[in-house]
């Protein structure tokens, strides 16, 4: 399973990634905000997105809305 972890805080990304690795998930990509996450989504396939709510440039709500409005990955699970 391939994860995309989106958070502007490097510390929080590291906490989430370490938690995922503790469950033997190791295919993890990081993004620092919603805009970077959308760019990564256009170029790679992910199975699950874990995102922060408050971020600069594009927050988690805006990211989730953009994902849901795109037919390509509109059903992708987002936490």
């Amino acid at each position: 399973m391939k994860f995309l972890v989106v958070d502007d805080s490097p510390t929080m990304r590291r906490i989430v990634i370490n938690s995922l690795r503790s469950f033997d998930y190791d295919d993890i990509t990081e993004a620092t905000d919603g805009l970077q996450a959308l760019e990564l989504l256009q170029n790679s396939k992910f199975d699950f997105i874990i995102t922060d709510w408050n971020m600069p440039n594009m927050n988690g709500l805006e990211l989730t809305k953009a994902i849901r409005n795109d037919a390509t990955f509109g059903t992708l699970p987002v936490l």
Side-chain angles (χ1 to χ4, degrees), residues 7-79:
D7 199 311
D8 58 316
S9 167
T11 302
M12 289 308 299
R13 286 195 313 270
R14 188 65 34 221
I15 289 169
V16 172
I17 289 168
N18 287 340
S19 295
L20 289 169
R21 287 190 174 139
S22 75
F23 292 108
D24 293 326
Y25 293 112
D26 60 358
D27 196 354
I28 304 163
T29 302
E30 301 177 49
T32 58
D33 62 33
L35 289 177
Q36 185 182 28
L38 281 179
E39 182 178 317
L40 288 167
L41 281 169
Q42 298 294 332
N43 299 314
S44 300
K45 183 185 181 311
F46 294 96
D47 300 304
F48 202 100
I49 297 176
I50 300 174
T51 184
D52 184 22
W53 196 254
N54 292 311
M55 297 178 288
N57 302 318
M58 177 183 276
N59 65 39
L61 179 59
E62 294 166 332
L63 171 61
T64 302
K65 286 179 180 180
I67 290 169
R68 292 293 172 252
N69 288 324
D70 190 303
T72 306
F73 40 78
T75 60
L76 187 62
V78 178
L79 174 67

